[in-house]
Amino acid sequence: MPRMDPLFAEEVNSFGRFDARACLNCGVCSAVCPMGIELLPRKLFRYVLLGVKDRVLENVQAVYSCLLCRLCEVNCPAQVRVAENVRFLRYYLNKKVFQI
Amino acid sequence: MPLPIGDTVGILADNLRMRKSVLPIPARSTAAWARGLGLARGGETILYTGGMYQLVPYIQALNRFQEKIEDSWLAGMIKYGRMANRVINISALMARPPGSERESSDRILVNIARLLRRAGVDFGYLYEDDLYSGALAYDLGADDVVEAHTRRLAGVFKKYRVKRVITVDPHTTHMLRSVYPALTGQHDLQVKSYLEVLVERGAVPRKELRLEAALHDSCLYARCENVLQEQRTLLLRAGVDLKEPADSGRFTLCCGGPAESLFPKKARETAAKRVEQLKKVSGRVVTMCPICLVNLRKAAGGEIQLEDISGYLVRAYCEG
């Protein structure tokens, strides 16, 4: 059972680079995503915002599968900067998981 | 076993840090396309390739290797490959493209140089200092390595007193125009795609092509760099009857190429979806990004004819 980890949310916030607070949870991004990965990007961002670190770490492949094509961004009614958020998560995983 | 993400990203980042490109190829190969063209070294206005078109044959060769080992036990050996790659350049050994692929990429750059000259643009070239922009490492989140690399680039531009950069592909355009200023604090470099420069110069075709073709927009040009009208203007002036596929312009569908370095099979599946859309409107397709060109070609398997826009433009604006 995944747990919320407030320290994870705090750690992510400390970089000042992840911002999906404006997300309305409408699901347009997932509907238009050419990769057809259900987690991308809405659910993934929700896990980050809620601090569900386990779920993020279980889904590393999805984080790197994003094409950064921004089709979701041009369709997003809340103008969330999806590609930059995904890029930040990669940066975070590179540092914390892969030690790059 | 899928390709290991950390080790694959690690190899690409190590290469950029140690060898100035994600897939290191000798500087003389990067500049080989310019041989015999008499381009001045450096200058205030330069044609900057960022090595993207030159890298593509090597990326293709590496991907053929990756596709073979993806989902096999050999994928697990990449971690040892990363260790060895720090000592010897093994990624260059794995990626050895046939000469015909290299010639085909070089020809695109020669076409672009010819088009700019024909439009009266005075430009130089950096030859062995025409460094890779860092685009793939940036996309993969290797930000620290990319930041250090952009400082190298800033040094090169300073050395040659470059003021205006003409780019040839969407990835390099995006890196230099939208990413680079934020990373280096250098905001006085003017960056334009050669397509924008040709339209600004009012390039006039010498002959009409009189053919029909579908246009595949690049995601970065369409959604980040607002290069949407230029390719249409130039092709329409050249007498191309342009066909727009479903999902075009700002809402273009990705070719899948960005997934190629980690998930070759997913990249091919995504490209196949786009090929289906394109072939519904024409058997001939125009691209403007080296990654789109190779990825769509691979998925199309000869079903449609894919060619970089520079080929059409050079036939209309420089020949005849």
Side-chain angles (χ1 to χ4, degrees):
Chain A
M1 173 82 178
R3 290 190 190 157
M4 285 200 229
D5 177 353
L7 291 177
F8 174 61
E10 222 170 82
E11 190 186 15
V12 167
N13 281 334
S14 71
F15 286 89
R17 288 177 47 185
F18 183 90
D19 187 1
R21 287 169 300 175
C23 173
L24 306 167
N25 226 359
C26 68
V28 165
C29 52
S30 308
V32 300
C33 177
M35 292 306 273
I37 297 172
E38 198 238 350
L39 190 85
L40 282 178
R42 182 184 62 94
K43 277 192 178 175
L44 175 69
F45 288 0
R46 192 59 49 190
Y47 288 139
V48 178
L49 289 168
L50 294 172
V52 191
K53 188 176 184 177
D54 298 349
R55 281 281 190 256
V56 176
L57 297 183
E58 278 166 20
N59 288 289
V60 168
Q61 274 217 23
V63 176
Y64 287 85
S65 292
C66 170
L67 298 163
L68 303 184
C69 74
R70 297 167 172 84
L71 187 56
C72 50
E73 263 186 41
V74 290
N75 282 286
C76 175
Q79 291 161 0
V80 173
R81 296 184 67 205
V82 178
E84 266 314 290
N85 285 335
V86 170
R87 262 197 6 87
F88 166 75
L89 292 176
R90 290 177 182 177
Y91 173 73
Y92 178 87
L93 293 167
N94 286 346
K95 285 241 167 243
K96 305 284 175 180
V97 178
F98 302 126
Q99 278 82 47
I100 295 170
Chain B
M1 177 178 192
L3 296 174
I5 293 170
D7 292 315
T8 308
V9 176
I11 289 174
L12 299 171
D14 290 343
N15 280 340
L16 184 62
R17 182 170 50 80
M18 297 189 301
R19 303 181 181 113
K20 302 181 188 174
S21 180
V22 282
L23 209 53
I25 56 174
R28 66 176 183 282
S29 300
T30 305
W33 70 272
R35 207 173 291 143
L37 295 181
L39 301 177
R41 178 176 290 272
E44 288 192 354
T45 303
I46 56 153
L47 180 64
Y48 186 79
T49 75
M52 278 296 287
Y53 276 99
Q54 300 93 315
L55 265 179
V56 158
Y58 294 86
I59 293 174
Q60 274 179 285
L62 185 64
N63 284 145
R64 283 192 285 267
F65 172 76
Q66 284 179 306
E67 275 184 347
K68 277 184 203 155
I69 67 165
E70 190 183 19
D71 298 326
S72 85
W73 62 273
L74 282 169
M77 306 305 277
I78 288 182
K79 64 176 173 229
Y80 302 110
R82 186 183 176 198
M83 285 184 230
N85 190 57
R86 285 176 176 156
V87 186
I88 50 161
N89 183 4
I90 61 156
S91 41
L93 297 175
M94 285 190 292
R96 300 187 115 176
S100 59
E101 286 179 7
R102 292 204 306 266
E103 280 163 24
S104 160
S105 281
D106 285 356
R107 202 173 312 120
I108 289 171
L109 298 171
V110 173
N111 286 345
I112 293 169
R114 283 182 68 195
L115 284 159
L116 288 167
R117 273 183 166 167
R118 171 90 186 123
V121 183
D122 185 19
F123 62 93
Y125 180 56
L126 299 182
Y127 293 88
E128 71 281 358
D129 282 330
D130 180 13
L131 299 181
Y132 177 62
S133 69
L136 179 57
Y138 180 75
D139 284 353
L140 292 171
D143 291 16
D144 300 340
V145 180
V146 173
E147 277 184 42
H149 185 68
T150 56
R151 286 196 289 275
R152 258 186 215 146
L153 280 180
V156 168
F157 293 143
K158 197 175 167 192
K159 175 179 157 191
Y160 289 98
R161 298 195 176 106
V162 175
K163 290 185 178 165
R164 289 172 293 276
V165 176
I166 302 171
T167 52
V168 299
D169 74 273
H171 293 270
T172 308
T173 309
H174 179 62
M175 283 301 286
L176 291 193
R177 187 149 79 185
S178 302
V179 176
Y180 180 88
L183 295 182
T184 61
Q186 190 184 358
H187 295 273
D188 54 352
L189 199 65
Q190 187 193 83
V191 180
K192 284 184 182 173
S193 150
Y194 79 97
L195 299 171
E196 293 171 298
V197 174
L198 291 178
V199 171
E200 272 178 19
R201 289 277 173 151
V204 179
R206 299 172 81 165
K207 75 169 181 201
E208 269 203 28
L209 295 179
R210 288 186 196 157
L211 51 84
E212 168 202 288
L215 190 64
H216 169 72
D217 283 294
S218 126
C219 298
L220 283 172
Y221 270 164
R223 292 194 266 273
C224 296
E225 299 304 324
N226 198 28
V227 181
L228 274 169
Q229 291 313 313
E230 288 79 1
Q231 53 275 49
R232 287 169 173 78
T233 302
L234 292 166
L235 289 167
L236 287 170
R237 270 186 206 159
V240 177
D241 178 12
L242 274 182
K243 302 291 175 192
E244 299 283 357
D247 301 329
S248 71
R250 195 158 172 254
F251 298 96
T252 184
L253 190 67
C254 183
C255 69
E260 221 174 13
S261 59
L262 293 171
F263 310 103
K265 282 180 190 145
K266 281 186 193 170
R268 195 185 277 257
E269 286 162 20
T270 310
K273 285 185 214 160
R274 184 56 167 168
V275 167
E276 282 306 308
Q277 286 187 332
L278 291 164
K279 76 179 184 196
K280 277 185 187 155
V281 290
S282 181
R284 193 182 283 122
V285 176
V286 184
T287 60
M288 58 208 80
C289 165
I291 305 290
C292 295
L293 181 62
V294 291
N295 218 46
L296 292 173
R297 252 189 199 157
K298 202 160 62 174
E303 272 188 75
I304 48 175
Q305 184 198 323
L306 287 135
E307 188 181 350
D308 187 85
I309 188 170
S310 62
Y312 291 90
L313 297 182
V314 89
R315 288 196 290 278
Y317 289 79
C318 300
E319 293 166 9

